[in-house]
């Protein structure tokens, strides 16, 4: 059998923050091979798969020798000889070998890099680009991208509290045009910052550094950038990732920048006010991961007109998505494969969300590499939406550029998901 796993080899490479990460090569009996890389988050949900780091004084404690040892040892012994075409069986074997609910024994970084490498090897053995291998011939759409214009929160030394100020080119006719619109808004935002004397480089994901006096000033400036670029708000809309777990807990939200503290209901009133006053069509993690009631209240208030995404709140976990569907906590899920630790589990979370009519957003992490697999997952799974940070720094641009290549490969029949990808009219 040509798709039998013959070898599994992990090594240390370096991510976009200059930190170590795990890369895995999987070779198959028939000669095909695939490579997977683990990304890394900075604003992490507490229920995420464990990102196994060595600790200690060297490299800030971020080294990954233990995770690499787990791949080259226990994981390799477990999956060598298995069929790479049976992703579920391979992932299931790693889940059983780990035996914990958060992959704390093997490390989610060890399992996701291996899982992705197996997937890539299977696609190579089938002689197909990854997106086509994943789609199995079913119709796909080019995703609506969410692109960060200003970075904040944990990605910008908490200069502002809100983490991502993003745009969504809902009115583009193609992914190619969506990138043109993005480039215009990104440039306009940079020029505005320059004119205000506040252009100070970029944050971790390439968005302009948020040198603002208040969180709302970032939002106002984003609207001005969209206007300056010449787009209407039915062409380019705003998406926010509040990442509220970073500054909220036990029903208290404390903004470092404004030095103000809110209870859940005052905090929600502020956010609902923003949604009313600005062209916002999507809000991620509006409240902290421990505030299930706040999520339900926000979704009840604006979920009929705004996409409400659970990220830290759902950590790409199918069981948590199922509970959230039943409770009406949100209407979309962010899918970050390393949050749950395998490709099969990420796919399950997507299927549960899709069956509920939710929006599904495949997402990169703030710590990334040149790996572009995430783009193929978004297209091949027909997720409809893709979030990979800003429009600068090559670990981000590699992914947007890969999407352009996929659109070109699909050719004249390519469909851009656009606004229809959102779970709201
Ligand atoms: C998020 C991600 C990507 P991180 O919160 O959605 O922006 O950030 O990878 O740091 O969790
Ligand atoms: Mg998030």
């Amino acid at each position: 059998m040509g798709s039998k796993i013959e070898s599994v080899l992990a090594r240390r490479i370096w991510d976009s923050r200059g930190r170590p990460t795990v890369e895995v090569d999987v070779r198959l009996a028939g000669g095909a091979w695939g490579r997977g890389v683990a990304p890394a988050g900075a604003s992490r949900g507490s229920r995420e798969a464990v990102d196994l780091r060595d600790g200690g004084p060297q490299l800030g404690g971020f080294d990954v020798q233990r995770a690499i040892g787990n791949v080259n040892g226990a994981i390799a012994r477990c999956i060598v000889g298995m069929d790479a075409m049976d992703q579920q069986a391979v992932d299931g074997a790693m889940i059983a070998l780990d035996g914990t609910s958060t992959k704390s024994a093997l490390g989610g970084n060890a399992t996701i890099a291996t899982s992705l490498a197996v997937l890539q090897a299977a696609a190579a053995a089938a002689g197909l680009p990854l997106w086509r291998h994943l789609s199995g011939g079913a119709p796909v759409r080019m995703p609506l991208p969410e692109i960060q214009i200003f970075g904040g929160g944990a990605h910008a030394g908490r200069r502002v509290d809100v983490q991502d100020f993003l745009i969504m080119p809902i009115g583009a006719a193609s992914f190619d045009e969506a990138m043109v619109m993005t480039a215009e808004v990104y440039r306009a935002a940079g020029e505005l910052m320059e004119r205000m004397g506040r252009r100070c480089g970029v944050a971790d994901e390439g968005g302009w550094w948020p040198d603002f006096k208040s969180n709302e000033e970032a939002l106002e400036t984003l609207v001005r950038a969209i206007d300056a670029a010449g787009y209407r708000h039915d062409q380019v809309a705003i998406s926010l990732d509040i990442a509220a777990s970073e500054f909220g807990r036990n029903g208290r939200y404390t903004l470092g920048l404004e030095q103000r503290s809110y209870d859940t209901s005052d905090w929600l009133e502020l956010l609902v006010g923003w949604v009313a006053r600005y062209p916002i069509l999507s809000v991620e993690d509006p409240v902290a991961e421990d505030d299930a009631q706040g999520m339900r209240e926000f979704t009840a208030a604006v979920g009929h007109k705004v996409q409400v995404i659970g990220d830290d709140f759902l950590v790409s976990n199918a069981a948590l998505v199922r509970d959230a569907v039943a409770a009406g906590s949100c209407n979309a899920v962010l899918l970050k494969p390393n949050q749950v630790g395998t490709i099969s589990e990420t796919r399950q979370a997507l299927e549960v969300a899709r069956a509920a009519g939710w929006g599904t957003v495949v997402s990169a992490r703030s710590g990334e590499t040149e790996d572009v697999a995430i783009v193929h997952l978004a297209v091949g799974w027909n997720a409809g939406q893709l979030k990979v940070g800003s429009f600068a720094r090559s670990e981000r641009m590699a992914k947007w550029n890969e999407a352009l290549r996929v659109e070109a490969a699909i050719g004249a029949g390519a469909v851009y998901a656009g606004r229809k990808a959102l779970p709201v009219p």
Side-chain angles (χ1 to χ4, degrees):
M1 185 180 54
S3 56
K4 203 163 114 171
I5 297 174
E6 202 170 69
S7 72
V8 180
L9 182 67
R11 70 177 63 85
R12 178 179 63 196
I13 65 164
W14 303 88
D15 76 10
S16 54
R17 281 192 271 253
R19 291 180 186 164
T21 193
V22 181
E23 173 170 283
V24 175
D25 289 355
V26 163
R27 285 176 195 279
L28 308 185
W33 71 283
R35 174 170 289 163
V37 184
S43 66
R44 299 170 44 80
S46 62
R47 288 170 289 199
E48 287 193 24
V50 168
D51 186 8
L52 190 65
R53 303 284 173 167
D54 297 346
Q58 230 198 322
L59 294 172
F62 287 110
D63 209 355
V64 288
Q65 299 301 340
R66 285 196 292 157
I68 287 170
N70 290 344
V71 177
N72 290 335
I75 291 177
R77 283 194 297 276
C78 173
I79 69 169
V80 164
M82 293 186 78
D83 183 0
M85 291 292 179
D86 194 346
Q87 185 78 38
Q88 273 210 357
V90 175
D91 288 342
M94 287 196 287
I95 292 165
L97 176 68
D98 176 85
T100 72
S101 59
T102 54
K103 314 265 181 324
S104 59
L106 297 172
N109 43 354
T111 59
I112 193 59
T114 307
S115 186
L116 260 171
V118 169
L119 178 68
Q120 294 276 19
L128 294 171
L130 182 55
W131 69 268
R132 200 183 282 274
H133 173 67
L134 285 167
S135 75
V140 297
R141 290 165 301 165
M142 291 307 296
L144 171 69
E146 283 187 61
I147 309 99
Q148 185 195 69
I149 303 299
F150 298 112
H155 304 159
R158 297 176 205 288
R159 179 64 186 74
V160 300
D161 302 276
V162 171
Q163 181 179 286
D164 294 322
F165 298 85
L166 313 111
I167 57 163
M168 299 187 298
I170 48 173
S174 64
F175 195 88
D176 181 60
E177 193 189 354
M179 293 295 99
V180 172
M181 293 163 87
T182 300
E184 296 287 16
V185 175
Y186 186 75
R187 194 165 50 86
E191 283 171 7
L192 272 175
M193 295 303 274
E194 174 104 48
R195 252 182 277 137
M196 295 191 287
R198 300 209 211 142
R199 182 156 163 176
C200 316
V202 300
D204 279 11
E205 296 189 359
W208 298 113
W209 186 262
D211 190 14
F212 295 113
K213 295 195 178 71
S214 68
N215 285 279
E216 191 165 349
E217 192 191 14
L219 198 43
E220 285 162 5
T221 310
L222 182 52
V223 175
R224 284 172 54 208
I226 295 169
D227 295 345
Y231 295 114
R232 297 187 315 266
H233 300 163
D234 62 350
Q235 294 176 301
V236 176
I238 291 177
S239 168
L240 297 177
D241 182 0
I242 307 291
S245 304
E246 292 289 312
F247 57 87
R249 177 181 283 225
N250 297 327
R252 247 359 285 159
Y253 295 86
T254 306
L255 297 183
L257 182 56
E258 277 108 319
Q259 300 205 331
R260 270 198 69 177
S261 180
Y262 303 78
D263 64 14
T264 300
S265 95
D266 289 343
W267 176 244
L268 288 180
E269 197 182 308
L270 179 137
L271 291 185
V272 170
W274 283 359
V275 165
R277 291 200 308 281
Y278 297 96
I280 296 169
L281 273 185
S282 181
V283 181
E284 181 176 327
D285 284 349
V287 296
E289 60 179 5
D290 67 355
D291 198 345
Q293 185 170 338
M295 285 296 281
R296 283 197 299 276
E297 282 174 21
F298 186 70
T299 302
V302 302
H304 59 287
K305 55 175 182 176
V306 171
Q307 170 169 262
V308 183
I309 307 176
D311 171 16
D312 292 351
F313 188 70
L314 299 173
V315 294
S316 308
N317 180 309
L320 294 177
V321 174
R322 207 169 282 122
D323 291 349
V325 168
S329 307
C330 17
N331 60 24
V333 62
L334 202 74
L335 297 157
K336 297 164 165 170
N338 81 321
Q339 259 182 339
V340 63
T342 64
I343 289 298
S344 304
E345 289 164 286
T346 312
R347 176 97 196 232
Q348 272 168 30
L350 175 128
E351 294 304 343
V352 173
R354 199 202 307 270
W358 278 23
T360 53
V361 188
V362 172
S363 172
R365 301 300 310 242
S366 50
E368 274 290 331
T369 65
E370 64 277 21
D371 183 44
V372 295
I374 206 86
V375 173
H376 290 259
L377 300 182
V379 177
W381 287 344
N382 197 17
Q385 296 177 68
L386 174 65
K387 180 186 180 202
V388 300
S390 192
F391 209 67
R393 296 181 51 135
S394 287
E395 81 279 5
R396 313 290 151 187
M397 303 317 292
K399 294 167 179 66
W400 301 132
N401 290 340
E402 181 72 358
L404 290 171
R405 292 181 199 109
V406 171
E407 184 169 65
I410 297 173
V415 175
Y416 173 62
R419 187 178 173 139
K420 291 204 188 83
L422 301 174
V424 290

